[in-house]
Amino acid sequence: MTLQANVETIATLPRVLADMNYLVPMAERPRNYTFEPPAGVPRYNSEHEAHRVAIHDARPIADKVSLDANGFALVQHGSAVRDFFDDEEVRRVYYPEIERILKEATGAYRVHIFDHTTRRRVPGVEDRSGGPRQPVQRVHIDHTARSGPQRVRDLLPDEADELLKGRVQVVNVWRPIRGPLLDSPLAVCDATSVGFDQLVPSDLVYPHRVGETYSVTYDPSHRWYYVPRMRTDEALLLKCSDTSTAVPARFTPHSAFVDPTTPADAPPRESIEVRTLVFHR
Ligand code: OGA
Ligand code: FE
């Protein structure tokens, strides 16, 4: 689907209006700690501000969007996993399923799955505070033009030089564990609606390494999508980074959001995301 066709179609799609938390432009480089920093160091040096955006139903255009044209894709896939909170089962059963999905979706010759995160929303609890991981209500991209290839060097040091001669993508695969999902859905932003000047390289500080992510500043051109009442047999593929400069969609902002249509008694969101390196020759 061409960018122009996409822009025309979007007006016909069902949508919700919701707040998205964007980076407030700042002079310093944004820096977030994933743990309690040393005394006197603030956990965050950045501020976010809510902007009301339209978030469109991606299902009617699911067969038209793609990782390279838009930065995301929706696939049908029922998993054989019985307990997504069982890390051993996820690695043994889910990882091979994801590898297959991604090879099929991208034509890649190799997929390296490097981690997964389960989230279970607990009202009033902050993310990374010791309990279950919480939805992320800030517009972000997990990897950048620099940290995508860097992950290859970190995780596959012996093969990195060879692998980086080809094209490398970082792709996340996200799905609800319990469905249909009504609470705290994940929204994705068409990567071709985002200007490179709106992507702000940011430090994400772990105890033993510093990752680079993009924070994102607001622009009214951003086109947002989600999958209403997403089912457990659906998976959202989203491309965080791509070494190819030849494709329109390389960096895909995303964020959880509070859906104003969520019923008060909706079960809290449970989800799993898998992070992968996708290799092309
Ligand atoms: C991701 C992500 C946030 C969420 O999958 O990369 O940012 O709320 N998820 O699930
Ligand atoms: Fe993310």
Side-chain angles (χ1 to χ4, degrees), residues 140-142 172 254 273 275:
H140 71 278
I141 306 176
D142 305 19
N172 292 5
H254 54 279
E273 72 231 31
R275 293 192 170 71

Side-chain angles (χ1 to χ4, degrees), residues 19-20 31 46 78 93 96 133 139 158 180 186-187 189 203 221 256 270:
D19 283 342
M20 279 294 175
R31 191 174 176 84
S46 56
V93 180
R133 293 294 309 275
V139 183
D158 298 341
L186 188 76
C189 185
D203 288 335
S221 300
E270 292 178 1

Side-chain angles (χ1 to χ4, degrees), residues 112-169:
H112 178 77
I113 299 179
F114 62 93
D115 73 25
H116 70 271
T117 303
T118 56
R119 301 180 193 268
R120 181 160 53 80
R121 192 172 78 79
V122 183
V125 164
E126 290 214 8
D127 194 21
R128 301 186 194 273
S129 62
R133 293 294 309 275
Q134 297 299 296
V136 178
Q137 286 182 29
R138 283 185 316 277
V139 183
H140 71 278
I141 306 176
D142 305 19
H143 290 90
T144 68
R146 197 162 64 85
S147 64
Q150 185 58 46
R151 294 265 69 198
V152 180
R153 291 192 194 94
D154 293 346
L155 295 162
L156 301 165
D158 298 341
E159 301 167 90
D161 283 343
E162 200 54 39
L163 291 168
L164 287 167
K165 286 179 187 157
R167 175 186 181 193
V168 182
Q169 303 162 302

